[in-house]
Amino acid sequence: MITRRRVLGSLAISAMLPSRGFARVAPQRSEIREPLAKHFTDAGTDGTFVGYKVDDYLVIASDTDRSGEAKLPASTFKIPNSVIALETGVVGDPDKDVFKWDGTVRIIEAWNRDHTLRSAIAASAVPVYQEIARRIGAERMQKYLDLFEYGNRNIGGGIDQFWLTGDLRIDPVQQVDFVDRLRRGALPVSKRSQELVSDILPVTKVGDSVIRAKSGLLGAEIGKPSLGWLVGWAEKGDARTVFALNLDVREPRHIADRMALSQACLADIGAI
């Protein structure tokens, strides 16, 4: 089992990737690349980037501190929430099962309509995923977060709020670990659930590369964003790079900067 340790010092990201179920055919390496941090400074904010170059067994981080700081996952939790929904049967088909709009007009227009799981993750529809969490229930939710070893596994603060305003916390390296297991189909659930969630993740094309990723925005549901996430993986030919980025949202433009800065960091490490 992998023990989580905070990132300390140059080249000292703890050896936690490759992770569970990985064929350890080569020693994993880690590097701090401080020039990556300049992207955040140039954008007028603070943030962190962690990338795992799968074929190189290499973890790269932009810094030694924030890359190990645990924060609320916000809507990046829609990834495990989707897996659990499919695994428990709360959602049978991500394209056919419909969640009816409750008629409450919310600040984000795309939330004010019916959704399938696929359209809900694309629109990052918080109300849909809150309903999914309520249907899953606390007992099953806790069971799966324990199985996934997801962050601190704490669902305190309400079954439909724990990832938004409650007690759940996860750091960027843990995000990379979880997403890498999903990508490989190595989570302790059915292959079907993992493959379907990988398939519904929003896709961005960059030249001949593809980024499959889920964003997160703390405070989005009340119109006061403060923290932004982007987690997922990049595909360039046969190469894969799993990554997690978070940043402080100090200005509205920093919302779009999540993808722009992720692409800049991925390009710097040769992932796209």
Side-chain angles (χ1 to χ4, degrees):
M1 181 177 295
I2 296 164
T3 300
R4 178 72 187 98
R5 290 175 290 176
R6 187 172 179 174
V7 178
L8 294 173
S10 178
L11 304 184
I13 301 173
S14 56
M16 63 189 67
L17 292 172
S19 61
R20 306 160 187 83
F22 192 91
R24 297 175 183 274
V25 296
Q28 179 260 327
R29 299 174 294 129
S30 56
E31 297 178 3
I32 302 296
R33 295 191 185 177
E34 294 180 355
L36 294 172
K38 188 174 185 297
H39 292 299
F40 298 98
T41 303
D42 290 347
T45 189
D46 290 326
T48 188
F49 172 87
V50 176
Y52 168 44
K53 301 192 74 174
V54 174
D55 291 342
D56 297 335
Y57 309 97
L58 175 64
V59 179
I60 300 167
S62 63
D63 62 88
T64 60
D65 294 316
R66 184 160 173 154
S67 56
E69 293 176 1
K71 301 179 183 295
L72 279 159
S75 283
T76 65
F77 186 72
K78 287 183 173 67
I79 302 176
N81 208 359
S82 296
V83 176
I84 298 167
L86 289 161
E87 191 68 13
T88 57
V90 166
V91 176
D93 189 310
D95 295 302
K96 294 180 179 179
D97 291 4
V98 176
F99 291 84
K100 293 291 186 180
W101 177 39
D102 62 8
T104 301
V105 177
R106 296 177 173 86
I107 191 169
I108 298 176
E109 179 60 32
W111 297 358
N112 301 325
R113 61 181 179 88
D114 297 349
H115 279 287
T116 62
L117 193 68
R118 186 182 298 275
S119 68
I121 200 168
S124 203
V126 169
V128 172
Y129 276 89
Q130 289 180 308
E131 176 60 21
I132 286 171
R134 289 190 289 266
R135 294 185 190 182
I136 291 169
E139 183 176 349
R140 290 192 295 183
M141 186 69 78
Q142 187 67 67
K143 169 190 170 181
Y144 281 100
L145 291 199
D146 287 341
L147 282 172
F148 295 166
E149 300 186 29
Y150 185 88
N152 66 359
R153 315 180 198 183
N154 191 333
I155 65 170
I159 188 59
D160 57 4
Q161 290 290 332
F162 65 87
W163 69 93
L164 299 168
T165 60
D167 299 330
L168 186 63
R169 299 290 186 276
I170 190 166
D171 68 48
V173 177
Q174 290 171 324
Q175 289 268 32
V176 168
D177 175 78
F178 173 76
V179 171
D180 184 54
R181 283 181 285 145
L182 170 70
R183 180 193 65 81
R184 293 187 283 112
L187 293 173
V189 294
S190 68
K191 291 285 188 181
R192 175 183 182 271
S193 296
Q194 295 175 82
E195 289 172 355
L196 285 173
V197 173
S198 295
D199 181 65
I200 66 174
L201 282 177
V203 171
T204 300
K205 294 185 178 180
V206 185
D208 60 355
S209 300
V210 170
I211 297 173
R212 302 181 187 275
K214 181 69 194 77
S215 61
L217 195 60
L218 201 62
E221 69 280 3
I222 58 174
K224 296 181 179 179
S226 59
L227 175 75
W229 280 100
L230 192 70
V231 306
W233 66 88
E235 303 173 355
K236 182 179 182 181
D238 294 330
R240 301 291 181 267
T241 301
V242 187
F243 71 93
L245 171 146
N246 71 46
L247 54 76
D248 296 335
V249 178
R250 296 174 179 170
E251 301 177 33
R253 64 186 174 87
H254 290 147
I255 296 173
D257 281 346
R258 291 173 297 174
M259 178 56 79
L261 293 175
S262 294
Q263 290 185 23
C265 290
L266 287 166
D268 282 0
I269 68 173
I272 60 174

